[in-house]
Amino acid sequence: MEFLGTLVIILIITSLFGHLASRVGIPAVIGQLFVGIILGPALLNWVHANDFIHIFSEIGVIILMFIAGLESDLTLLKKYLRPSIIVALLGVLIPMVLIYPVGIVFGLTQFESLFLSVIFAATSVSISVAVMKELNLLDSKSGSTVLGAAVVDDVLAVVLLSIMVSLIGTKAGTDTQIPLALTFLEQLIYFAAIYFVMRFIAPLLAKLGTKLLNPVGPTIMAMILCFGMAYIADLIGLSAVIGAFFAGIAIAQTHVAHEVDQSIEPIGYAIFIPVFFVSIGLNMSLAGIEHDLLLIIVLTIVATLTKLLGAGSGAKWAGFSSNEAYLVGAGMVSRGEMALIIAQIGYQSKLISDDYYSAIITAIILTTLLAPLLLKHAARHINY
């Protein structure tokens, strides 16, 4: 039962650091992210990224994105679909164009530099979701655009990654090759099926949940849909959080939405979501950092500015005010688990060498730490 001791340590210290962060006026998420750095290999080396941490963090991010979908306004998401697409496209294009030469300058091969640009083209808004929820901006014009853009960005990142691994004739982590066209077809079918889930399956599950002789029947049905959609999304090469997000939107259209939200939020934020935040920091190691310090600094600055300016200019182009565009750009800065996953897949597929892997992971974590601070700063200039 050693994992229980680890969980107790994580919950105590994330609660303390989250509280202290809020007291000094910064998002509680920042305090929780730092816990992973403090407890992990970077400093105290008390907690390691083992199977327990991995499983709990995966469940945590899935629940976090399910809650985001549950609390999103579908009308707003539809309304800001066009800005979301523009934000995602520019938010991917500009980092790819400007991070590639960074890799070349620091001695990476052309292929490694291209893959480096793919890693930092990705966005993971799970951290931004937590911050926007804390700031009551999740269900706003900018918040809806960030959520919509994140889905498009995720799909683009998967497409780019699929192309990269197909160029060297391997499927990440496996020996079998899956045709790129088949992967795209599966993903198109998945998105088409979301309509039927919202229209028929979610209402049916909600109805079944209320008829179960169980006080949390609707929540059980909602979790079945959430984990089921997340699992299928992962099977076809999409991020599991996409499935969880759309499951949340589907349940939000039913009569049990409020009941499910009241039930699942305490479970998520009390246990699983703190472990997810800690897991980000656990990936960071300071071993040999002095040799890669310049690369880490340059990558972090360029990665932050390119996503901020790329996504922000997309929002500006779509008619947002400068302050709203800044908020959207800040919301897209975090690379989080999506970039970490792409980096890990690329590392396993020999797309990136051992020499640069630690520096890249550190830069990903630093951008993830900067994102909530940028969001907090941007939120000061927004009046919704």
Side-chain angles (χ1 to χ4, degrees), residues 58-280:
E58 288 289 326
I59 295 173
V61 71
I62 286 169
I63 291 176
L64 179 61
M65 292 308 292
F66 174 76
I67 293 171
L70 196 59
E71 298 182 356
S72 296
D73 187 331
L74 185 58
T75 306
L76 277 177
L77 287 172
K78 288 178 180 176
K79 182 178 179 181
Y80 297 113
L81 179 61
R82 178 181 165 273
S84 295
I85 293 172
I86 296 172
V87 166
L89 288 174
L90 285 177
V92 166
L93 181 63
I94 291 179
M96 284 201 69
V97 169
L98 295 180
I99 287 175
Y100 174 81
V102 171
I104 296 295
V105 167
F106 279 91
L108 280 74
T109 66
Q110 289 187 341
F111 202 78
E112 286 176 331
S113 299
L114 183 59
F115 183 66
L116 183 68
S117 68
V118 171
I119 292 172
F120 286 98
T123 291
S124 179
V125 295
S126 47
I127 303 294
S128 299
V129 162
V131 177
M132 288 190 294
K133 185 172 168 54
E134 192 178 327
L135 298 172
N136 295 316
L137 290 170
L138 189 59
D139 196 12
S140 66
K141 178 181 177 181
S142 299
S144 298
T145 301
V146 168
L147 286 169
V151 173
V152 179
D153 191 299
D154 217 1
V155 173
L156 290 173
V158 169
V159 169
L160 291 169
L161 178 62
S162 300
I163 292 170
M164 291 293 291
V165 296
S166 69
L167 287 175
I168 62 166
T170 67
K171 178 80 170 69
T174 68
D175 295 324
T176 57
Q177 293 186 36
I178 299 177
L180 204 56
L182 179 59
T183 300
F184 295 160
L185 179 61
E186 288 173 343
Q187 292 171 4
L188 284 173
I189 292 171
Y190 182 84
F191 282 109
I194 287 172
Y195 169 79
F196 294 96
V197 170
M198 290 186 184
R199 185 75 177 82
F200 303 108
I201 298 175
L204 177 62
L205 289 175
K207 189 175 180 180
L208 285 173
T210 55
K211 290 188 175 182
L212 284 176
L213 297 179
N214 189 315
V216 290
T219 303
I220 293 172
M221 292 295 108
M223 287 294 92
I224 289 171
L225 183 65
C226 170
F227 293 133
M229 289 183 68
Y231 175 66
I232 295 170
D234 184 69
L235 275 183
I236 61 172
L238 290 168
S239 170
V241 300
I242 286 184
F245 176 66
F246 281 111
I249 290 177
I251 293 296
Q253 312 311 308
T254 69
H255 67 283
V256 299
H258 180 70
E259 180 183 342
V260 171
D261 192 23
Q262 293 293 306
S263 298
I264 196 60
E265 196 166 301
I267 297 171
Y269 281 96
I271 302 174
F272 296 102
I273 295 173
V275 178
F276 162 63
F277 292 140
V278 169
S279 72
I280 298 288

Side-chain angles (χ1 to χ4, degrees), residues 21 25-34 124-132 134-135 277 304 326-327 329-336 364-380:
I26 62 177
V29 174
I30 284 285
Q32 294 177 333
L33 286 168
F34 268 113
S124 179
V125 295
S126 47
I127 303 294
S128 299
V129 162
V131 177
M132 288 190 294
E134 192 178 327
L135 298 172
F277 292 140
T304 301
Y326 176 30
L327 182 65
M332 298 293 286
V333 163
S334 174
R335 299 323 199 268
I364 290 170
I365 292 169
L366 289 175
T367 61
T368 305
L369 289 169
L370 283 170
L373 296 174
L374 288 169
L375 264 174
K376 179 74 183 247
H377 184 262
R380 292 175 186 165

Side-chain angles (χ1 to χ4, degrees), residues 305-326:
L305 290 178
T306 51
K307 190 63 87 167
L308 186 66
L309 295 174
S313 60
K316 187 70 175 173
W317 186 11
F320 284 48
S321 70
S322 296
N323 289 338
E324 289 170 335
Y326 176 30

Side-chain angles (χ1 to χ4, degrees), residues 284-316:
M284 191 168 178
S285 173
L286 300 180
I289 196 172
E290 65 278 1
H291 302 300
D292 298 317
L293 194 57
L294 184 59
L295 173 59
I296 291 168
I297 292 170
V298 173
L299 259 184
T300 303
I301 293 171
V302 175
T304 301
L305 290 178
T306 51
K307 190 63 87 167
L308 186 66
L309 295 174
S313 60
K316 187 70 175 173

